[in-house]
Amino acid sequence: ETGVTQTPRHLVMGMTNKKSLKCEQHLGHNAMYWYKQSAKKPLELMFVYNFKEQTENNSVPSRFSPECPNSSHLFLHLHTLQPEDSALYLCASSQDPGLASNEQYFGPGTRLTVT
Amino acid sequence: GQNIDQPTEMTATEGAIVQINCTYQTSGFNGLFWYQQHAGEAPTFLSYNVLDGLEEKGRFSSFLSRSKGYSYLLLKELQMKDSASYLCAALDSNYQLIWGAGTKLIIKP
């Protein structure tokens, strides 16, 4: 049990659908992250929130829209996705992104398939 | 540009020792992380090195050479449960993690 939970674990959606991914951390951390993990590729950082404020947006297409209502919850709203967006979406949290030894704790991920 | 290189896949035998190498090129450097990820599961933290040298944690050790931009993860007395992907990530000057694509380690009996 990592202390970071994600729902749903699996999601199949059409290109015209709207869905949301949810992440919750029970570790009292201040920072939360969304990553995209595609097969045989490095983890791609999408968004970073620190104390509920977005601090990173790595040129992510607008069809991905993050929301962080508080430091324990993070959402990723999805709409009009493309088949190439199919991937594992990982949420992570950490105490402070400005610390060098900033260990990130990951959730189990949502396996997204866009048809 | 920033880059992390590690082998795509390695195979080793149960009970043996395996070394997984990682080279990095980053804008500044604030340390190197190793994570383990079993298939279908979350990555979990293994080690963090910021100074040169070897750090040992039970069966796992991690080495760093800052001058060479090089690290390795050493796994001893391999067990079947060590079959997983091992992710190398370097922290750049902006405290952003630059990730490698991971090394899939296959353990054979």
Side-chain angles (χ1 to χ4, degrees):
Chain A
E1 183 59 54
T2 64
V4 181
T5 58
Q6 289 186 244
T7 54
R9 293 293 309 275
H10 300 273
L11 178 62
V12 179
M13 60 186 288
M15 290 189 283
T16 58
N17 291 160
K18 288 185 182 181
K19 297 286 184 183
S20 295
L21 309 185
K22 179 182 175 182
C23 175
E24 184 173 358
Q25 58 98 358
H26 314 273
L27 300 168
H29 287 163
N30 299 315
M32 296 188 77
Y33 311 74
W34 277 118
Y35 285 94
K36 176 183 179 183
Q37 187 175 36
S38 302
K40 299 185 179 180
K41 289 186 178 179
L43 281 173
E44 297 175 46
L45 179 65
M46 300 174 73
F47 302 104
V48 180
Y49 279 82
N50 194 22
F51 290 98
K52 302 189 300 177
E53 299 296 321
Q54 188 179 122
T55 56
E56 291 284 340
N57 176 341
N58 280 353
S59 304
V60 181
S62 59
R63 57 185 183 270
F64 295 91
S65 174
E67 178 190 359
C68 188
N70 55 61
S71 57
S72 298
H73 293 85
L74 186 64
F75 295 89
L76 188 62
H77 303 300
L78 316 171
H79 64 97
T80 59
L81 294 191
Q82 304 298 311
E84 60 264 29
D85 296 323
S86 298
L88 182 68
Y89 287 85
L90 290 164
C91 174
S93 71
S94 69
Q95 185 59 42
D96 182 347
L99 285 176
S101 58
N102 182 47
E103 175 187 344
Q104 294 184 16
Y105 292 77
F106 286 84
T110 295
R111 173 68 62 187
L112 174 67
T113 303
V114 181
T115 60
Chain B
Q2 307 203 93
N3 192 54
I4 303 283
D5 282 317
Q6 55 181 131
T8 304
E9 187 173 298
M10 298 182 70
T11 302
T13 304
E14 191 177 15
I17 299 173
V18 72
Q19 178 175 310
I20 303 175
N21 296 325
C22 170
T23 58
Y24 62 89
Q25 293 174 313
T26 54
S27 303
F29 179 75
N30 280 302
L32 189 125
F33 291 82
W34 284 96
Y35 282 78
Q36 180 191 58
Q37 185 177 23
H38 285 100
E41 297 184 14
T44 54
F45 171 81
L46 287 178
S47 66
Y48 169 71
N49 293 63
V50 67
L51 300 176
D52 285 354
L54 185 70
E55 298 220 359
E56 299 185 62
K57 266 189 197 179
R59 294 189 298 114
F60 290 12
S61 303
S62 55
F63 172 83
L64 177 68
S65 168
R66 294 177 67 132
S67 61
K68 295 181 179 178
Y70 167 69
S71 173
Y72 67 73
L73 183 68
L74 189 72
L75 292 75
K76 301 177 185 176
E77 301 168 19
L78 285 170
Q79 301 174 10
M80 297 304 291
K81 67 178 182 179
D82 297 329
S83 292
S85 287
Y86 291 85
L87 311 180
C88 173
L91 199 62
D92 70 9
S93 57
N94 294 321
Y95 292 95
Q96 184 160 118
L97 275 174
I98 309 302
W99 294 86
T103 299
K104 182 178 179 181
L105 179 64
I106 299 168
I107 310 296
K108 295 187 173 179

